[in-house]
Amino acid sequence: MAIQNQSKADVQQILQLLKERVESKDAEVMKGLAAAKDQTDSSIDDAYSYLQSELAKAAAHVDGESYTEGEAFHSRNPLAGLAQAHLSTEANGVTHNDVGDALPAVVDVFGEGNPLVWAPVMVNILVEYLKPKADFKTATDEKSYIKIPNPCTIALLGDWGADNDHAQRIAQLVRERKPEIVIHLGDIYYAGNEYECERFLANWPLEARPGNSFALNGNHEMYSRGIPYFGTVLPAFGQEASYFTLYNDDWQIHGLDTAYVPFSIDGTVPSDKPGFWKRIGDQIGKILPFVNHENFDAKPDSRLQAQWDWVQKKLAKSGNRKNIFLSHNQPISAYLPEFEAGSFLQEQFWRLRMTIAGGLYIVHAWFFGHEHKGTIYDDTATEYRARLIGNGAIPHSVQALVPPQRDETNTACTPVFTMNDKALKKDLLGLHELDLAVSTFALLTLDGPDAYVEYINEDGSLFLKEKLSGKPNEVIEWGEGYGPLNKK
């Protein structure tokens, strides 16, 4: 079969096939629903009705998502995400390899084939979608409060979990720099299923062992209910839970799970804001359909109180150590829909700090992903250094800043100091013309009370190097063509 992009049309086609098979009650679908019944409390009739409704929602959602021809399409609808995962892997068993690197970066070699050929295996999507969420794991001091060296170098990968040439180039750059620790900020594409998690581990830039490799939970991992993430990725890393704290004499780094319950640290949801998530979805659908959040599984879960208690305790006892947060989801954004989506996480963070004496500035920096952009926010406008590094692997259009907007409370979106607006013009072999945003990772160096960050592009060029512990937005070195937004 000829290699093709996994396009929006592919996903629409497979959702239509699934819809037709469910509506016709074909034997394989009903057999799959019977198997799923053993794993859920639903009757077959309830599961059938539920899937009919969910498939209709997924199709409508994908129809409304923006898509530029030539880019790699990825949906933020959970069911469509599962369809993409199976589209990419299950029938063909194709993995990324050197042949793929000879193709344009936008081509996903693991997205090979015609979805019509894969229809027999697509019932697995429905079965997987009916499974309950994986159990939430509770961290212990023995295994999740981990001492790290001083000095120490840590590579941060955001939205890197794609088995494509962008991810593999970044992995190679990480290997060359030999960090002691590598941390993924979440999102294994397209749905964090078992095959995708295995490929994620195969591409990992370190020989993983307890204490040197960590993975945060992302919304795409939860499309597969978090089952492979908790059951495959975390054991492979020797990671006890989806949250943890690393520390040395001068620093504490707290990895948070903000995806098990979306944008929540303690498992609560914004029930005091009627229609909050629907309004967010409606807004995003009008402005930026490709980042739609209308499908959040925003149901409270009291088990995450353990994460809240963990972070609160570690912050309260940090002493002279500076604190850094890591999460998948963004607490702030320069874009109104994402800014509003992150407002509940920001609200939780405010409440968390208020439980600690002198806690307003207790967190020095926060690295996050989710938005496929590379953004250094204005340090004078936030109580912590906010850094978005979500441009780790997914091909996307070059970043452009929109005019400042305000939410319904007249709160302005977060001002930007600079952003990574570099375009990747050539593929790896220099054979194909591209116009895609470059992918990036961050190299954090802790050196006593000081901390430095290099933001390194997939072509080996530098975005910038900053002194994270210095003055607000203290840049030590700019990459060629970069600078503050107001001076470029």
Coordinates of all heavy atoms in Angstrom, one line a residue, residues 270-282:
P270 N -15.4 22.0 38.2 CA -16.0 23.3 38.4 C -17.5 23.2 38.4 O -18.2 23.8 37.5 CB -15.5 24.1 37.3 CG -15.2 23.2 36.2 CD -14.7 21.9 36.9
S271 N -18.1 22.5 39.4 CA -19.5 22.4 39.4 C -20.2 23.7 39.8 O -21.5 23.8 39.6 CB -19.9 21.3 40.4 OG -19.4 21.6 41.7
D272 N -19.5 24.6 40.3 CA -20.1 25.9 40.7 C -20.2 26.8 39.5 O -20.7 27.9 39.6 CB -19.2 26.6 41.7 CG -17.8 26.8 41.3 OD1 -17.3 26.0 40.5 OD2 -17.2 27.8 41.7
K273 N -19.8 26.3 38.3 CA -19.9 27.1 37.1 C -20.8 26.3 36.1 O -20.3 25.5 35.3 CB -18.6 27.4 36.5 CG -17.6 28.1 37.4 CD -16.3 28.4 36.7 CE -15.3 29.1 37.6 NZ -14.0 29.4 37.0
P274 N -22.1 26.5 36.2 CA -23.0 25.7 35.3 C -22.7 25.8 33.9 O -22.5 26.9 33.4 CB -24.4 26.3 35.6 CG -24.3 26.9 37.0 CD -22.9 27.4 37.1
G275 N -22.6 24.7 33.2 CA -22.3 24.7 31.8 C -20.9 25.1 31.4 O -20.6 25.4 30.2
F276 N -20.0 25.2 32.4 CA -18.6 25.7 32.2 C -18.0 25.0 31.0 O -17.5 25.6 30.0 CB -17.8 25.5 33.4 CG -16.4 26.0 33.3 CD1 -16.0 27.3 33.4 CD2 -15.3 25.0 33.1 CE1 -14.7 27.7 33.3 CE2 -14.0 25.5 33.0 CZ -13.7 26.8 33.1
W277 N -17.9 23.6 31.1 CA -17.1 22.9 30.0 C -17.9 23.0 28.7 O -17.2 23.1 27.6 CB -16.9 21.4 30.4 CG -16.0 21.3 31.6 CD1 -16.3 20.7 32.8 CD2 -14.7 21.7 31.7 NE1 -15.3 20.8 33.7 CE2 -14.2 21.4 33.0 CE3 -13.8 22.4 30.9 CZ2 -12.9 21.7 33.5 CZ3 -12.5 22.7 31.3 CH2 -12.1 22.3 32.6
K278 N -19.2 23.0 28.7 CA -19.9 23.1 27.4 C -19.6 24.5 26.8 O -19.4 24.6 25.6 CB -21.4 22.9 27.6 CG -22.2 23.0 26.3 CD -23.7 22.8 26.5 CE -24.4 22.7 25.2 NZ -24.1 23.9 24.3
R279 N -19.6 25.5 27.7 CA -19.4 26.9 27.1 C -18.0 26.9 26.6 O -17.7 27.5 25.5 CB -19.5 27.9 28.3 CG -19.3 29.3 27.8 CD -19.8 30.3 28.9 NE -19.1 30.1 30.1 CZ -17.9 30.5 30.4 NH1 -17.2 31.1 29.5 NH2 -17.3 30.2 31.6
I280 N -17.0 26.3 27.3 CA -15.6 26.3 26.7 C -15.6 25.6 25.4 O -15.0 26.1 24.4 CB -14.7 25.5 27.7 CG1 -14.6 26.3 29.0 CG2 -13.3 25.3 27.1 CD1 -13.9 27.6 28.9
G281 N -16.3 24.5 25.3 CA -16.3 23.8 24.0 C -17.0 24.6 22.9 O -16.5 24.6 21.8
D282 N -18.1 25.2 23.3 CA -18.8 26.0 22.3 C -17.9 27.2 21.8 O -17.8 27.5 20.6 CB -20.1 26.6 22.8 CG -21.1 25.5 23.0 OD1 -20.9 24.4 22.5 OD2 -22.1 25.8 23.8

